[in-house]
Amino acid sequence: MPRHYTLFTGQWADLPLEEVARLASGWGYDGLEIAVSGDHLDAWRWDEPGYVDSKLAVLQKYNLRVWAISNHLKGQAVCDDPIDFRHKAIVGPKVWGDGDAEGVRQRAAQELQHTARLARALGVDTVVGFTGSSIWQYVAMFPPVPAKVIDAGYQDFADRWNPILDVFDDCGVRFAHEVHPSEIAYDYWTTVRTLEAIGHREAFGLNWDPSHFMWQGIDPVSFIWDFKDRIYHVDCKDTKLRPTGRNTVMGSHLAWGDPRRGWDFVSAGRGDVPWESSFRALAAIGYTGPISVEWEDAGMDRLHGAPEALAALKKYDFPASNTSFDAAFSARDPAEKRAL
C-alpha cells in the first residue's frame, strides 16, 4: 500500500488555508496535517453549521485529504508553569483572556477537548500536539530538585490530561504527543514515565519526529521499535549537527541559522536523520498512517524547500515486503541456512 504524504501547515499559518492547499497540491502532496492556527482551523467553531464542510471543500477543490490535525500551541499551555509572555504570543486572545495563569491552562485544556470534537467532525482520528510541562524548568537539576517535585510534575500532567483524554475517548480520537524538549515527555525515559503516569491509556500515543531526537543523542530508529504500539503519527523534520567543541547541543541562546549553533533544523534529506532505516522500522511495526512533512529550515526558502523535502523522503521510501523474514528464511535451502 503506498504511503500518504502530507504537509504540516503549522509553519504556513501566515497564509490562508486555501493558498497552502493550492501549493501543496501543486507540489504533489496527498493531503495536509492541518494546524489549529491562523485561519486554518478554529477548534471553538467545531459545531458551527457549515464550518467543517467549508474546510473539507477547500481540500476537495485541490484533491487533498486530511488524516490528522494538530494543536501544538494550545497544548503547550495546558501544563506549563510559568505561563508568561511567551504563551501570550502563541495561544491567541480567547485562551489568553486576562492572562491569569490557571485560567490560561483551563481554557487551553478546553480547546484541546474541542480539538478532539473538531477532529471527529472532520472524520479524522488523530490529533498531534504538545502537552506542556510544569517541571521542564528543572531539567538542569540545579539548584537541587527533590524527587517529590518531579513526582508532582507527572501527577500534574495526569490530572490535567486525563479529563482531556476522556473527551478524546468519547470522540474515538487519539492524541499523538510530540516528544520534544519543554514537554512532559522529551526523551526516552521521560516518555516511559509519561505513559506510566496515565496508566498507558490508549487515547495517548506519540508523534514520531526524529529532528528532536538527533541533537539529544536519541536513536530515532530504536525509539520506533521500543514504542511500536504508540506511534500514532509521523512528522518528518531533519536536523544537521555541527558539534565543534564551541558549538554545543544547548544552542547558546543563538538564533536559528547562526553557524555558531551546535545544530539546526534543516529541510528533510539535508541533515543527519537516518531516513531509510527509519522508514524500514516504521514498516516493520506496521505503521500505515501518513508521512507528514514539517518543513523548517532557517537558511532556505520554504517554496523551494517543501517540494524538495517531499522528493527527498520519497527517495528513501519503498513498499514493504509482503513476505515475513521467518517465511523467507524457512524457504531457503538447508545448506544455505547452515551457512548463514
Side-chain angles (χ1 to χ4, degrees), residues 234-249:
V234 167
D235 273 346
C236 291
K237 189 166 64 179
D238 217 331
T239 298
K240 188 65 179 177
L241 303 172
R242 297 191 296 267
T244 64
R246 292 189 180 93
N247 301 354
T248 72
V249 298

Side-chain angles (χ1 to χ4, degrees), residues 10 37 58 64 66 69 72 101 130-131 135 141 154 162 176 179 199 205 218 220 225 243 271 285 296 319 324:
S37 185
V58 171
L64 298 174
V66 56
I69 64 174
H72 291 74
F130 290 150
T131 61
I135 54 176
M141 298 297 282
Y154 284 98
N162 272 320
V179 178
I218 303 167
W225 184 255
I285 67 168
E296 192 170 336
S324 70

Side-chain angles (χ1 to χ4, degrees), residues 300-339:
M300 182 184 293
D301 186 282
R302 63 184 178 178
L303 297 181
H304 171 86
E308 179 197 83
L310 176 62
L313 291 171
K314 285 187 172 181
K315 182 179 69 173
Y316 292 108
D317 197 4
F318 44 83
S321 171
N322 291 322
T323 305
S324 70
F325 176 80
D326 289 342
F329 188 75
S330 63
R332 287 179 179 268
D333 179 85
E336 185 181 9
K337 287 191 284 187
R338 286 195 296 273

Side-chain angles (χ1 to χ4, degrees), residues 23-43:
L23 290 169
S25 178
W27 291 329
Y29 283 91
D30 302 308
L32 299 177
E33 176 196 343
I34 310 177
V36 179
S37 185
D39 89 322
H40 296 189
L41 284 176
D42 183 344

Side-chain angles (χ1 to χ4, degrees), residues 198-213:
I198 53 171
H200 294 270
R201 61 185 299 178
E202 291 186 7
F204 188 93
L206 307 173
N207 177 54
W208 180 82
D209 181 341
S211 64
H212 309 295
F213 298 157

